């Protein structure tokens, strides 16, 4: 079964608005990553947050991690039409929960940003 | 650097046929992996390798074989294709230094099995 689950499955907003996507996972992790996938393309790494971190920023991206709730959120501020893509969270398991070599992906959130 | 390359981009197979999906990277990454992506399922790990000669199973390994004879290449073999293997396949790589978890993905291979 999937380790990570994103919510919502789809999100439609206007340019300039903020977009928030959530991810929940089941087992202990070493870190959690967010990736973006444009239609018909491969995935591109956006940001990584380690299990001992609570918040991280990168440009217009803000990621939070709550290990007690086994959840993370990705906030994209001041969204642009070019942000239209699918966003996936991926958890890197630690050595006690299946091996640190594995990166397990959720089903993704489809974000549509309208001009 | 070309990064992670995959061939072919598209492939149609008949049930029972065999084929090999090619993956190569020129970043000297020790870790390579194969995922399949199905609608509504996200990416699921098929097999992975932490270096030449070392491979292991992921979440959905049945029906697929891998080998890793060089650092650069990590081919995925379908011995007897089934319609359930219709999917988009992604290869990815990364270094294995502690704390380095960012994966680099190839453009994908879209496989249809009829």
């Amino acid at each position: 079964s999937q380790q990570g689950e994103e919510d919502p499955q789809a999100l439609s907003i206007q340019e300039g608005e903020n977009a928030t996507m959530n991810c929940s996972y089941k087992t202990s992790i070493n870190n959690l990553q967010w990736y973006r996938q444009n239609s018909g393309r491969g995935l591109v790494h956006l940001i990584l947050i380690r299990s001992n971190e609570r918040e991280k920023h990168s440009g217009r991206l803000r990621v939070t991690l709550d290990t007690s709730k086994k959840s993370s959120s990705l906030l994209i501020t001041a969204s642009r039409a070019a942000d239209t893509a699918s966003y996936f969270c991926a958890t890197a398991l630690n050595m006690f929960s299946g091996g640190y070599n594995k990166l397990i992906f959720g089903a993704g959130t489809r974000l549509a940003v309208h001009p | 650097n070309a990064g992670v390359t995959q061939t072919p981009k598209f492939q149609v197979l008949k049930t029972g046929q065999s084929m090999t999906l090619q993956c190569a990277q020129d970043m000297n990454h020790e870790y390579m992996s194969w995922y399949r992506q199905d609608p509504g399922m996200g990416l699921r790990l098929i097999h992975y390798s932490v270096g030449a000669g070392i491979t292991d199973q992921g979440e959905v390994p049945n029906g697929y074989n891998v080998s890793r004879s060089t650092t650069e290449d990590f081919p995925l073999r379908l011995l007897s294709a089934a319609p359930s293997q219709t999917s988009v396949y992604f290869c990815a790589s990364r270094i294995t230094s502690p704390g380095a978890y960012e994966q680099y993905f190839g453009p994908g291979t879209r496989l249809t099995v009829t």
Side-chain angles (χ1 to χ4, degrees), chain A:
Chain A
S1 62
Q2 294 291 113
Q3 156 78 328
E5 295 183 1
E6 283 94 339
D7 170 59
Q9 291 185 330
L11 182 60
S12 182
I13 60 174
Q14 298 295 126
E15 263 192 332
E17 293 180 340
N18 295 341
T20 299
M21 289 158 268
N22 302 296
C23 170
S24 60
Y25 58 92
K26 299 175 183 176
T27 60
S28 297
I29 62 172
N30 180 289
N31 65 75
L32 186 144
Q33 303 172 41
W34 286 90
Y35 286 79
R36 183 183 75 192
Q37 183 182 35
N38 290 90
S39 180
R41 310 291 293 274
L43 279 73
V44 175
H45 183 265
L46 293 176
I47 194 167
L48 179 153
I49 186 166
R50 302 187 189 284
S51 59
N52 61 353
E53 297 176 313
R54 292 298 168 259
E55 187 171 313
K56 204 162 185 179
H57 296 257
S58 177
R60 292 185 296 114
L61 305 180
R62 172 178 170 258
V63 171
T64 62
L65 179 65
D66 186 336
T67 53
S68 66
K69 295 181 179 178
K70 291 187 169 57
S71 67
S72 173
S73 68
L74 171 67
L75 169 67
I76 304 174
T77 60
S79 63
R80 306 165 182 169
D83 294 328
T84 294
S86 291
Y87 293 81
F88 296 87
C89 71
T91 49
L93 307 184
N94 64 29
M95 61 183 295
F96 301 108
S97 60
Y100 59 89
N101 289 315
K102 297 182 182 178
L103 194 62
I104 307 298
F105 285 81
T109 292
R110 295 187 309 278
L111 173 66
V113 182
H114 302 284

Side-chain angles (χ1 to χ4, degrees), chain B residues 84-111:
Chain B
S84 61
Q85 294 178 305
T86 293
S87 188
V88 182
Y89 291 85
F90 290 98
C91 179
S93 74
R94 66 172 174 87
I95 60 176
T96 55
S97 297
Y101 288 93
E102 174 184 350
Q103 291 206 80
Y104 296 82
F105 281 82
T109 294
R110 186 174 296 274
L111 175 68

